Amino acid sequence: MKWDFSFIWTAFLDLLPALPTTLYITAVSVSCGFVIGLIVTLSRMYKVPVLSQIGTAYVTFVRGTPMLTHLLIVYIGLSMLLDHLSDKFGWSFNSVSIPMIGFAYIAFSITAGAYLAEVIRSGLLAVNKGQLEAAYSVGMTTFQALRRIVFPQAFAAALPNLSNSLIGMLHGSTLAFTVSVVDINAKAQIVASTNWKFPEAYLAAALLFWGLTVLIERGTALLEKRINVYNRGGVA
Amino acid sequence: MIHLKRITKSFGRNEVLKGIDLTIRKGEVVAIVGPSGSGKTTLLRCINYLEKPSDGEISIDEFSVHFKKPHKKDIHALRQKSAMVFQQYNLFRHKTALENVMEGLVVVQKIPKEEARKRSVELLEKVGLGDKLDSYPSQLSGGQQQRVGIARALALNPEVILFDEPTSALDPELVGEVLGVIRKIAKEGITMIIVTHEMAFAQDVANHVVFMEGGVIVEEGPPNVIFNVPKEERTKQFLARYTSESAYSI
Ligand SMILES: Nc1ncnc2c1ncn2[C@@H]1O[C@H](COP(=O)(O)OP(=O)(O)O)[C@@H](O)[C@H]1O
Ligand SMILES: [Mg+2]
């Protein structure tokens, strides 16, 4: 078998239009997941009745099942539910009205939320209890204490794990092809099969993902250096 | 004037404070001494509401809180009337010395930044840290951190400052600088409650000494009485053990 190296570059350019799709799925799922994770973590921390139990069940279930399963459950389950409701109430809105990428947004937000809940929890656990007490002692409300004192330190502690989750979701977003969303990888398959050059197209996709991953890692390292100034000196 | 009335606190079935009554006049420096586990820290934490007392009442001038059913608003007000200097300093780790002192002024008391900065710089100079404004806690020695902690408490201008063994986490050679600062502010008429094992310091700086054991106040009075002619047998035993222990450690 002969490699067509120049085709790697051609394929690479062909993949670029699919880049925003991959980035959107990753960005939406990580941002929504962060909000979900924060709500779950805080309700578990403050032992909010019902919400905390639901949160615990959610985290164990989602972390215990593959990401593809979440996508299929959301796609099939949500479609069936919507179609049933729209039949019953005579809505014009049904599962076909939702763009395919919408299912990926919802499903992967659910996936990310469970992982991020754990990341946020471990970040918060890394903050010494004395920090919160000192904040109370100077007269802050719980909200002020969390926002000004606890969260910034928890964020710094959680940053490496946050970055890993972001990378995980970036790579996981390729599963969206199962619901016919054309992300970078799906695009590679299209490019490959129309030109009958599989290895080159997939290699181009791999390089693109690798590049994005390195960008995330570099960004994290920069951010870490900036927000961790306070850890310099001392024994750390 | 601060009144503590019948303050009790239990952790589960363990009753740690068994009805504490204490009156502190304005500008008074009260030293609390007693064996470890007697409830001294818990009492201070109750005054700052870092611990919820089981029952009792505190009043500071006209303001008062009943601990059986406190209002959220009152808890917040109580915390603002008192400030704690912690055994482990508990400086905000991600903020510089100056930001640590400014934080409460800006966020809680809503004082304009420039004014807060000016006041904070003055206070840090007062505790001898005028050259460490921009240092993070991790760059400061224990003694320096504790002096920032004292400046942070002073900045809030509270009705009372609570010190929980402010020097017991320090290396011996750093104890002096912190006690020196406390001694200095004690002379300025700020009301203070100090839990300490430094008996010589307590005798020297306090107007009133309280001996606690087993969750009750066993004896209280002026320092020369408590340290030289205590009435209660338990006080005598404690002080005797204490002086012999410290003699031994030298
Ligand atoms: N958060 C807590 N939970 C359970 N027990 C506690 C807690 N804090 C303190 N205690 C108990 O209360 C008692 C008094 O503790 P403390 O106030 O720290 O004493 P002191 O400061 O005089 O050494 C001790 O027996 C301690 O074990
Ligand atoms: Mg103690």
Side-chain angles (χ1 to χ4, degrees):
Chain A
M1 188 193 133
K2 214 168 133 283
W3 278 75
D4 181 350
F5 285 105
S6 68
F7 184 72
I8 296 176
W9 178 244
T10 316
F12 190 82
L13 294 179
D14 283 344
L15 295 183
L16 287 181
L19 176 63
T21 305
T22 292
L23 294 182
Y24 282 140
I25 297 176
T26 310
V28 168
S29 59
V30 170
S31 330
C32 296
F34 191 85
V35 175
I36 297 172
L38 195 61
I39 294 170
V40 168
T41 307
L42 289 179
S43 57
R44 285 169 84 179
M45 226 168 78
Y46 286 98
K47 303 198 171 65
V48 180
V50 188
L51 210 55
S52 64
Q53 283 88 351
I54 293 175
T56 307
Y58 157 74
V59 170
T60 24
F61 175 76
V62 169
R63 281 164 50 93
T65 46
M67 192 166 164
L68 182 57
T69 310
H70 312 151
L71 183 57
L72 294 177
I73 290 176
V74 166
Y75 177 57
I76 299 167
L78 198 61
S79 301
M80 279 168 58
L81 181 72
L82 258 180
D83 292 343
H84 175 76
L85 289 176
S86 93
D87 267 358
K88 197 164 168 187
F89 298 105
W91 298 341
S92 58
F93 182 84
N94 58 24
S95 63
V96 185
S97 330
I98 301 182
M100 282 305 191
I101 200 169
F103 292 105
Y105 286 158
I106 296 171
F108 295 162
S109 295
I110 290 172
T111 310
Y115 285 94
L116 289 171
E118 292 295 283
V119 169
I120 293 168
R121 196 168 79 105
S122 71
L124 288 171
L125 286 178
V127 181
N128 190 306
K129 191 162 140 274
Q131 296 288 309
L132 185 63
E133 295 190 340
Y136 282 143
S137 161
V138 302
M140 289 190 201
T141 60
T142 302
F143 180 74
Q144 288 170 332
L146 290 178
R147 190 170 58 87
R148 307 266 324 168
I149 306 301
V150 178
F151 287 160
Q153 292 183 41
F155 182 73
L159 197 54
N161 286 332
L162 281 173
S163 161
N164 282 338
S165 297
L166 182 58
I167 293 168
M169 291 311 295
L170 170 72
H171 296 171
S173 72
T174 52
L175 289 171
F177 83 91
T178 49
V179 292
S180 325
V181 172
V182 182
D183 76 316
I184 292 172
N185 237 22
K187 185 77 179 176
Q189 191 168 14
I190 295 167
V191 171
S193 48
T194 48
N195 296 279
W196 210 245
K197 286 176 181 164
F198 286 92
E200 291 89 342
Y202 286 131
L203 184 61
L207 289 174
L208 191 48
F209 275 110
W210 189 16
L212 291 172
T213 305
V214 169
L215 268 179
I216 294 173
E217 284 170 348
R218 284 287 163 81
T220 310
L222 276 178
L223 197 59
E224 221 174 346
K225 219 167 140 183
R226 263 192 57 154
I227 63 179
N228 269 316
V229 269
Y230 66 83
N231 279 329
R232 73 188 166 198
V235 286
Chain B
M1 196 88 131
I2 301 171
H3 285 288
L4 306 181
K5 289 173 209 154
R6 302 174 312 278
I7 305 259
T8 58
K9 171 68 187 172
S10 302
F11 291 107
R13 286 219 199 108
N14 181 15
E15 192 175 40
V16 172
L17 297 179
K18 299 173 180 163
I20 301 286
D21 289 284
L22 186 62
T23 298
I24 299 143
R25 276 168 303 163
K26 207 167 186 65
E28 198 168 45
V29 177
V30 175
I32 301 181
V33 301
S36 151
S38 56
K40 307 181 298 293
T41 296
T42 305
L43 180 61
L44 288 194
R45 289 169 61 83
C46 283
I47 298 173
N48 205 212
Y49 211 83
L50 292 175
E51 216 69 77
K52 185 195 178 308
S54 309
D55 204 354
E57 187 186 338
I58 183 170
S59 65
I60 301 178
D61 298 330
E62 277 81 54
F63 168 83
S64 76
V65 186
H66 296 265
F67 288 127
K68 199 92 201 182
K69 271 205 162 149
H71 277 281
K72 215 169 174 169
K73 196 173 89 261
D74 290 338
I75 291 168
H76 194 58
L78 180 59
R79 281 197 180 130
Q80 294 194 30
K81 285 177 189 291
S82 54
M84 181 84 107
V85 173
F86 296 88
Q87 193 171 356
Q88 302 294 341
Y89 333 128
N90 289 354
L91 295 185
F92 303 131
R93 290 192 55 219
H94 61 311
K95 298 198 174 282
T96 62
L98 181 61
E99 289 166 347
N100 262 277
V101 181
M102 284 174 65
E103 186 70 11
L105 294 178
V106 175
V107 176
V108 179
Q109 302 189 351
K110 314 280 187 218
I111 291 172
K113 257 204 163 115
E114 266 324 297
E115 198 188 322
R117 168 186 295 274
K118 199 166 145 269
R119 228 161 96 186
S120 303
V121 171
E122 279 167 17
L123 283 167
L124 283 167
E125 280 167 355
K126 185 175 187 170
V127 299
L129 292 173
D131 56 339
K132 297 285 182 191
L133 301 180
D134 298 322
S135 301
Y136 286 94
S138 62
Q139 299 167 309
L140 298 173
S141 73
Q144 291 169 333
Q145 288 188 60
Q146 193 57 298
R147 284 186 281 152
V148 176
I150 293 170
R152 177 172 72 180
L154 275 173
L156 302 164
N157 217 350
E159 300 288 332
V160 56
I161 301 183
L162 312 165
F163 294 81
D164 187 13
E165 297 194 32
T167 58
S168 62
L170 294 174
D171 290 335
E173 74 270 21
L174 300 177
V175 169
E177 65 187 59
V178 173
L179 293 185
V181 167
I182 299 175
R183 204 173 258 133
K184 186 159 133 189
I185 59 178
K187 292 202 183 98
E188 295 177 4
I190 296 163
T191 314
M192 310 201 289
I193 305 178
I194 308 174
V195 170
T196 185
H197 286 303
E198 304 280 341
M199 296 302 159
F201 171 72
Q203 186 158 13
D204 169 44
V205 81
N207 315 112
H208 191 79
V209 177
V210 173
F211 171 63
M212 269 180 79
E213 192 179 72
V216 297
I217 292 177
V218 175
E219 187 170 358
E220 59 178 309
N224 55 355
V225 173
I226 299 294
F227 286 112
N228 300 326
V229 283
K231 287 193 210 59
E232 299 291 329
E233 199 50 41
R234 281 150 80 189
T235 316
K236 285 178 199 160
Q237 279 170 6
F238 170 75
L239 289 172
R241 194 170 63 224
Y242 215 87
T243 35
S244 67
E245 252 173 36
S246 52
Y248 194 72
S249 72
I250 293 164

